[in-house]
Amino acid sequence: MTTTRTATDRSATGSSRGGALLVTLAALSVLAELWQFVTAGQLFPGDSALIYHQAGAIVLHVASGLTLVAAFLASRRGAAPTWLWVLAGVVFALTFVQAATGGRDTLWIHVPGAMVVTVGSVWVLAASTGLARGASAARAGA
């Protein structure tokens, strides 16, 4: 017996893969932020962890940028709401504000900014996880 897949089946499979990619990238962004918190704590009183903190910032830029692209593409397919990629875009932009305000004399904005970026990233992760679970549940029920 042969099985044929319909266009709907293929798009559901593609959506689940895209949803898993979005969740993975959002999780990578959150993990990069965790790394940033760990290395930031080691910057006082000296700068021994500065190179690790700077490397983590690059990883965060890349991960949040890829999360933005994945969220945008998911939104274009109708698998995610528009606000999700807009939020991912705000998070991505704020990572550059963070990098620009990373000096010791601007910690008064850098530290609260880190909290805002973290909340935004966790929100993107939570929403994308919920979307992926919803898509899985819809496929299981179909």
Side-chain angles (χ1 to χ4, degrees), residues 82-108:
T82 301
W83 66 262
L84 185 60
W85 75 261
V86 171
L87 178 60
V90 169
V91 168
F92 178 60
L94 287 176
T95 65
F96 290 95
V97 174
Q98 282 300 100
T101 61
R104 290 195 185 273
D105 56 341
T106 54
L107 287 179
W108 61 273

Side-chain angles (χ1 to χ4, degrees), residues 36-70:
Q36 291 302 92
F37 283 110
V38 169
T39 58
Q42 296 174 7
L43 290 175
F44 294 97
D47 287 337
S48 61
L50 184 59
I51 192 162
Y52 301 112
H53 194 68
Q54 291 168 335
I58 293 169
V59 172
L60 181 56
H61 291 315
V62 171
S64 63
L66 291 173
T67 301
L68 167 60
V69 171

Side-chain angles (χ1 to χ4, degrees), residues 113-132:
M115 301 302 151
V116 172
V117 170
T118 301
V119 167
S121 293
V122 170
W123 195 353
V124 169
L125 175 59
S128 61
T129 301
L131 291 171

Side-chain angles (χ1 to χ4, degrees), residues 5-18 135 139:
R5 292 181 60 177
T6 65
T8 306
D9 292 337
R10 283 190 298 273
S11 68
T13 303
S15 294
S16 67
R17 286 188 197 130
R139 278 192 315 278

